[in-house]
């Protein structure tokens, strides 16, 4: 069944832009509830209150969608950590928790939307699309069957590397009658791993009935926004952008390849030195909105302070805005003979 909401995903998109918040596995790894490497969300069953708390923080920071933490909660990844026997309960519990916290929202739309979530499976082989595609399809059907029974408003199908796999995900969403937001990771300079220009791949998904298309993960704002600008000119449906909050460049467009000055790899657990500030993510949100993005979020590395900065930059007053910085009251930086004034915050905070 679909989840009853005061207004649908499509209706809220029409008022856009919506604020998305992800990066669950990275943030929960930092908090000690997810193992770096496999990044399987065992936290759903092992420490559900930790997941509830992160959902709640994203909600208070201004997120319009609670994304069920079923990223990498498919059969193959759970088998890697010996928990494939927990597959159904883990997937159902993730959606239940997302619904529980979404209902805490007190906005005019009746709380946050709830998204089911599927992702790249590492099972798809473009050299053998029929056989590998059948494996992918079965995994998606399992996950989304449980998600729909528990109640969702939409599905986010994300971090796709192959157009072929993304089309399978879209088809399964359509089998269940749930709108799909489909995004590509963009690790390579300009093409998916099965050889399609990223923007053209999005256009094909739009032609096949995706509700929203766009990009997530891999790229920071500086290297994702040029793709977003091209995509806006290529399709006539809402588009999504969910970059990582890291300092990628034209020379190193994807954060998987970021390196320290000594040449050591930063990805995935030495990325702090490449992190963007909340001000830079606020700038990103404004820039994305100016380009016409309808779904503006953050991916791996995301955290509540980024989401609040983005939401406030888009003109929102969030539940956590009452605690937005007031540096004029700081004992060292505060206004006075040698201090700064509230203009230190620029126009980032609607509370300033």
């Amino acid at each position: 069944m679909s989840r009853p909401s005061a207004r649908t995903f499509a209706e809220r998109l029409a008022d856009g832009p919506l604020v998305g918040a992800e990066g669950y596995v990275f943030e929960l790894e930092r908090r000690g509830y997810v193992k770096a490497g496999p990044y399987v969300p065992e936290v759903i069953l092992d420490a559900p209150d930790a997941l509830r708390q992160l959902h709640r923080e994203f909600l208070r920071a201004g997120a319009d969608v609670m994304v069920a933490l079923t990223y990498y909660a498919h059969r193959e990844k759970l088998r890697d950590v010996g928990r494939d026997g927990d597959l159904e309960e883990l997937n159902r519990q993730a959606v239940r928790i997302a619904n529980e916290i979404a209902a805490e929202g007190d906005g005019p739309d009746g709380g946050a939307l709830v998204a089911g979530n599927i992702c790249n499976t590492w099972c798809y082989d473009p050299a053998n699309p029929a056989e590998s595609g059948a494996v992918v399809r079965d995994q998606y059907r399992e996950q989304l069957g449980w998600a729909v029974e528990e109640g969702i408003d939409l599905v986010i199908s994300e971090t796709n590397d192959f157009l072929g796999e993304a089309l399978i995900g879209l088809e399964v969403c359509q089998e269940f009658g749930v709108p799909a937001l489909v995004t590509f990771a963009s690790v390579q300079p300009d093409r998916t791993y099965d050889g399609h220009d990223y923007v053209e791949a999005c256009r094909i998904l739009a032609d096949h009935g995706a509700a929203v298309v766009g990009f997530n993960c891999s790229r920071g704002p500086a290297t994702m926004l040029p793709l977003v600008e091209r995509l806006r000119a290529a399709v006539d449906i809402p588009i999504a952008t969910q970059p990582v909050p890291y300092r990628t460049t034209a020379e190193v467009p994807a954060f998987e390849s970021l390196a320290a000055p000594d040449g050591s790899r930063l990805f995935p657990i030495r990325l702090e030195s490449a992190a963007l500030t909340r001000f830079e993510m606020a700038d990103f949100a404004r820039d994305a909105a100016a380009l016409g993005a309808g779904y503006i979020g953050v991916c791996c590395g995301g955290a509540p302070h980024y989401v609040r900065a983005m939401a406030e930059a888009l003109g929102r007053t969030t539940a956590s805005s009452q605690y937005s910085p007031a540096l004029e009251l700081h004992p060292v930086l505060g206004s006075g003979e040698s201090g700064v004034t509230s203009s230190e915050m620029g126009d980032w905070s609607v509370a300033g």
Side-chain angles (χ1 to χ4, degrees):
M1 67 177 182
S2 61
R3 177 180 172 272
S5 296
R7 298 174 70 233
T8 67
F9 175 52
E11 289 170 338
R12 296 195 202 187
L13 266 178
D15 292 340
L18 295 179
V19 175
E22 293 193 55
Y24 285 91
V25 291
F26 266 45
E27 179 63 12
L28 286 164
E29 189 278 330
R30 288 192 290 244
R31 298 182 184 196
Y33 295 101
V34 166
K35 184 185 289 293
Y39 285 108
V40 176
E42 300 169 86
V43 62
I44 296 163
L45 299 181
D46 294 349
D49 284 343
L51 176 56
R52 286 186 178 92
Q53 181 60 28
L54 183 54
H55 273 306
R56 187 171 290 118
E57 291 174 22
F58 280 146
L59 179 69
R60 294 185 69 256
D64 292 306
V65 179
M66 295 292 99
V67 184
L69 184 53
T70 54
Y71 190 96
Y72 279 173
H74 53 71
R75 189 170 295 277
E76 292 294 323
K77 290 292 289 187
L78 285 169
R79 185 178 293 124
D80 288 346
V81 295
R83 300 197 68 163
D84 46 315
D86 294 330
L87 180 69
E88 180 175 355
E89 181 56 25
L90 189 147
N91 275 269
R92 288 188 181 275
Q93 174 82 327
V95 182
R96 290 173 191 150
I97 291 173
N99 270 294
E100 174 189 334
I101 305 305
E104 295 180 3
D106 59 0
D109 291 324
L113 295 164
V114 173
N117 186 225
I118 55 177
C119 66
N120 54 320
T121 64
W122 303 103
C123 297
Y124 185 76
D125 180 2
N128 187 6
E131 185 175 342
S132 67
V135 172
V136 170
R137 191 179 302 273
D138 286 346
Q139 292 189 72
Y140 288 162
R141 281 175 172 160
E142 280 185 324
Q143 288 189 275
L144 293 185
W146 296 319
V148 169
E149 287 180 8
E150 295 295 336
I152 56 176
D153 297 294
L154 68 146
V155 175
I156 295 178
S157 170
E158 62 185 347
T159 324
N160 286 287
D161 294 309
F162 299 96
L163 174 60
E165 188 169 41
L167 285 168
I168 293 170
L170 174 59
E171 289 166 7
V172 175
C173 292
Q174 291 169 334
E175 288 176 14
F176 286 103
V178 185
L181 184 161
V182 189
T183 50
F184 287 99
S186 45
V187 180
Q188 299 199 120
D190 46 35
R191 292 185 176 272
T192 67
Y193 278 103
D194 47 355
H196 298 270
D197 174 85
Y198 286 122
V199 171
E200 176 63 12
C202 287
R203 190 194 61 75
I204 292 170
L205 286 165
D207 289 346
H208 279 75
V212 182
V213 293
F215 309 102
N216 80 291
C217 208
S218 291
R219 300 193 182 209
T223 52
M224 184 175 285
L225 285 173
L227 285 175
V228 173
E229 185 173 14
R230 287 181 54 215
L231 178 60
R232 180 66 287 165
V235 299
D236 58 5
I237 65 170
I239 62 173
T241 174
Q242 294 200 94
V244 295
Y246 297 108
R247 201 160 280 110
T248 56
T249 65
E251 293 73 27
V252 186
F255 82 144
E256 291 90 344
S257 298
L258 288 173
D262 65 3
S264 59
R265 179 184 293 274
L266 297 183
F267 177 85
I269 56 174
R270 297 181 63 198
L271 285 161
E272 287 84 355
S273 63
L276 297 175
T277 69
R278 64 186 71 188
F279 299 97
E280 289 169 304
M281 290 305 291
D283 288 341
F284 152 71
R286 282 190 287 261
D287 291 343
L291 290 175
Y295 192 92
I296 300 171
V298 63
C299 203
C300 295
H305 70 294
Y306 285 131
V307 178
R308 183 179 65 185
M310 292 161 58
E312 290 184 345
L314 294 173
R316 314 280 182 86
T317 299
T318 76
S320 62
S321 289
Q322 64 176 310
Y323 301 111
S324 291
L327 294 188
E328 70 275 15
L329 301 179
H330 191 279
V332 175
L333 300 178
S335 57
E337 292 184 3
S338 61
V340 299
T341 68
S342 59
S343 63
E344 175 80 9
M345 295 305 297
D347 62 353
W348 166 67
S349 173
V350 297

